[in-house]
Amino acid sequence: MSSEQVLSVEVTENNAGSFPIGVRILVVESDPTCLRIVSKMLQAFGYEVTTATRATDALRILREKEDEINLILTETHLPDMDQYEILETVGKLSSLPIVVFSADNNESAMLGCLYKGAALYLMKPVIKNDVKNLWQLTFRTKIKKAVSGEGSNSFHGGSSEENASSLTGGNPSSTMGMTDQKGKRKELEETDKDDKDNKNLTVPKKQKLVWTNELHNRFLQAIRILGIDGAHPKKILQHMNVPGLKKENVSSHLQKYRLYLKREQDAMQKTMIRDCHPSSTFNLQGGFSQYTNSQFFMTASQSEYRNNFQNNLSSPMSAHSLGSVHSPTHVNSNYNGILIPNYGQVASQSKQLYTSYPNSNHTEIMTVTDGNFSSFGQKGNHSVEEHLNQGTALSNIGTHGPTFLGNSQQQVQFPLPQPQPLPEKEDESDILDIATVEELELLLMEKEFLEDPNNDLWL
DNA sequence: GGCGCAATAT
DNA sequence: CATATTGCGC
């Protein structure tokens, strides 16, 4: 492939310009000191942190607001739950990716956690790169390894090109290279086959692409990286790297996206313009990320969804049938979904969100209602199921990467390869440009950890 | 030819 | 309703 430096985007921007800011992480750690340190570290990278010192607290938080969390980072030695229990319990409750960080550096602990569903096992001390790359996991679900037995179901399965389960794998920095990018076959077979009991499945007409969370995420990610200014269909498409996705699809979506932005924007100006100092000091990422709950979800029978979800929980396989999961009523909030710029999120308590784009100082503000956007789409109940729903939709797709084209009836799925490698300049030293004392402190600590192998503070 | 946009079709 | 397609001006 053309080595073309595709996307010549400056990723170093500021602080955390190279990855989504505002990914929300729930940190579960019993040791307060450790918890604090980790939190700081995460925050320094732009993550938004929620903490819990006990497993029960973590579970409560998840139950109450899973949709406000993108990823769970947990210790395994918790006072109120033993080693794998948290993984199992959380696994049943949520489909969010779980990252374990532990001082146990023995293989069994590690494999045990992975087997129980952890998306990643980090060894303490946790270092910068580990933390820095965590956000990537929000693009895929943890792999639901039968939590109760019979594991090795589908390790590198057959010939499928899918796989690529090597996100930050053991060594974050190096594994980033995404894998190949297989041929992009359209795979639209299966259709003509007389699908016996299948209600309808008319011939491959024009499939309608369904913008799933995953797709939309990539879309947004691309925009973020390209900058709102350089976000044109072609580039976006390129960056999304989704086989089968056509420029027209992107164009269409982009058009709608712009409309949405615009609408939000001036709906904004009207509503409030008072004392919001557009202190562009914050260089937040392109506003939106996770498209976790939004109008883009179409309607579908709840039941269908539920079934899928259920299945998913029990078998990794069923994840395939999931991509099309249309979140039913789905919770309020809108396009913006989960990943809201870090600081913005913080500010959201006061009903305002500041967002801006990477390549511009443009900063805009959005109103929020209860931490969720409301302007869009229908309101909904906050039932756990719905939250789960969101999570499921988001993650499952991420796992196997199936993306769906087609209507609820005729759809085609195909695995999603990794998005175009981020133009990330591998570690060009540290993106971190410490600004506050706290961050400085953090760095120092980190340094100590790195230099002192006997540092047990993390335990 | 690509892009954005609006109208129109599905 | 969400997405696709088309046509037009840039």
Side-chain angles (χ1 to χ4, degrees):
Chain A
M1 337 334 224
S2 38
S3 53
E4 46 178 341
Q5 291 282 19
V6 200
L7 317 179
S8 52
V9 191
E10 279 308 321
V11 194
T12 6
E13 303 245 20
N14 284 334
N15 240 352
S18 60
F19 50 84
I21 301 186
V23 170
R24 295 179 277 197
I25 299 185
L26 169 61
V27 183
V28 191
E29 162 65 65
S30 56
D31 181 276
T33 306
C34 182
L35 180 60
R36 182 168 170 279
I37 295 172
V38 176
S39 297
K40 289 286 178 214
M41 204 180 270
L42 286 167
Q43 285 164 352
F45 277 106
Y47 293 101
E48 181 176 325
V49 178
T50 300
T51 62
T53 53
R54 293 176 308 178
T56 48
D57 294 333
L59 294 176
R60 181 176 43 75
I61 292 173
L62 282 179
R63 263 190 289 269
E64 290 172 4
K65 41 187 177 181
E66 187 199 354
D67 62 328
E68 290 175 30
I69 303 293
N70 303 123
L71 183 149
I72 301 162
L73 178 58
T74 182
E75 158 69 291
T76 49
H77 300 295
L78 298 168
D80 56 339
M81 222 172 244
D82 50 41
Q83 195 162 27
Y84 304 125
E85 202 177 344
I86 178 112
L87 285 170
E88 292 173 345
T89 317
V90 171
K92 288 172 188 166
L93 180 66
S94 149
S95 57
L96 292 173
I98 306 175
V99 174
V100 167
F101 66 121
S102 170
D104 298 334
N105 73 348
N106 60 76
E107 193 176 340
S108 71
M110 192 178 289
L111 290 178
C113 287
L114 294 174
Y115 180 79
K116 292 294 182 181
L120 178 65
Y121 188 101
L122 294 178
M123 216 84 85
K124 288 179 181 179
V126 172
I127 61 176
K128 220 168 8 180
N129 274 333
D130 291 338
V131 166
K132 176 178 134 193
N133 293 321
L134 283 180
W135 63 270
Q136 295 172 61
L137 292 171
T138 62
F139 278 86
R140 54 181 58 245
T141 324
K142 62 187 179 172
I143 300 168
K144 295 265 179 190
K145 290 247 156 258
V147 179
S148 48
E150 283 313 41
S152 60
N153 187 350
S154 59
F155 254 157
H156 52 344
S159 44
S160 277
E161 67 287 10
E162 73 124 87
N163 122 56
S165 54
S166 57
L167 244 189
T168 331
N171 236 323
S173 42
S174 58
T175 344
M176 282 283 295
M178 316 302 139
T179 53
D180 48 322
Q181 137 175 330
K182 240 347 198 138
K184 54 219 252 88
R185 52 121 122 358
K186 297 285 202 167
E187 43 218 275
L188 327 172
E189 38 264 87
E190 88 250 340
T191 49
D192 333 87
K193 289 324 188 85
D194 43 287
D195 300 82
K196 33 211 79 179
D197 46 18
N198 228 331
K199 40 196 77 177
N200 50 10
L201 204 104
T202 16
V203 204
K205 273 249 174 147
K206 293 285 188 177
Q207 312 118 9
K208 204 171 179 178
L209 181 150
V210 176
W211 284 86
T212 57
N213 274 338
E214 166 66 6
L215 267 186
H216 184 61
N217 284 339
R218 293 198 185 203
F219 171 81
L220 293 173
Q221 178 67 23
I223 290 183
R224 255 197 244 95
I225 292 178
L226 294 173
I228 193 68
D229 302 313
H232 301 300
K234 199 174 176 182
K235 287 260 181 161
I236 296 175
L237 179 65
Q238 191 172 225
H239 204 279
M240 286 177 73
N241 188 29
V242 175
L245 189 65
K246 296 188 303 271
K247 195 170 54 181
E248 290 75 39
N249 299 126
V250 176
S251 301
S252 183
H253 196 64
L254 182 61
Q255 186 172 19
K256 190 177 168 190
Y257 178 68
R258 288 191 171 124
L259 276 174
Y260 164 73
L261 284 184
K262 188 183 172 190
R263 225 185 74 187
E264 271 299 334
Q265 187 168 292
D266 39 47
M268 208 71 280
Q269 299 185 329
K270 287 185 176 182
T271 317
M272 33 127 320
I273 294 192
R274 42 198 84 211
D275 50 67
C276 7
H277 25 56
S279 48
S280 55
T281 338
F282 308 65
N283 181 346
L284 304 177
Q285 295 293 330
F288 313 49
S289 311
Q290 309 286 70
Y291 168 67
T292 290
N293 23 13
S294 75
Q295 50 153 97
F296 280 68
F297 272 7
M298 36 214 49
T299 47
S301 58
Q302 285 254 41
S303 56
E304 184 181 5
Y305 152 65
R306 286 223 175 87
N307 289 335
N308 284 332
F309 179 58
Q310 292 280 48
N311 290 336
N312 172 53
L313 281 186
S314 46
S315 93
M317 295 279 85
S318 59
H320 292 297
S321 56
L322 242 158
S324 61
V325 157
H326 312 302
S327 133
T329 39
H330 70 283
V331 200
N332 36 14
S333 109
N334 53 22
Y335 226 139
N336 297 325
I338 286 183
L339 294 190
I340 290 165
N342 184 23
Y343 303 96
Q345 193 59 13
V346 173
S348 76
Q349 295 171 351
S350 60
K351 294 221 162 118
Q352 294 175 2
L353 279 183
Y354 296 80
T355 65
S356 68
Y357 300 96
N359 294 336
S360 70
N361 293 324
H362 176 206
T363 298
E364 51 191 319
I365 301 139
M366 325 192 82
T367 35
V368 227
T369 309
D370 284 337
N372 278 314
F373 293 85
S374 56
S375 53
F376 236 166
Q378 42 288 69
K379 296 287 215 139
N381 336 328
H382 293 267
S383 72
V384 173
E385 284 157 302
E386 284 174 334
H387 292 334
L388 289 179
N389 171 24
Q390 300 167 6
T392 306
L394 173 67
S395 353
N396 279 331
I397 297 167
T399 301
H400 292 282
T403 296
F404 298 74
L405 288 178
N407 233 334
S408 13
Q409 340 241 295
Q410 45 185 50
Q411 42 189 231
V412 178
Q413 68 186 64
F414 48 78
L416 286 183
Q418 291 291 332
Q420 281 282 323
L422 300 185
E424 171 120 28
K425 324 201 155 166
E426 205 33 78
D427 238 36
E428 125 136 51
S429 74
D430 310 330
I431 314 181
L432 227 40
D433 255 83
I434 297 317
T436 71
V437 178
E438 303 242 292
E439 287 170 345
L440 239 173
E441 176 186 322
L442 167 65
L443 270 195
L444 288 177
M445 293 173 112
E446 182 184 327
K447 196 174 177 189
E448 287 172 18
F449 286 131
L450 291 173
E451 293 173 350
D452 179 7
N454 299 318
N455 202 317
D456 277 336
L457 187 56
W458 294 84
L459 185 66

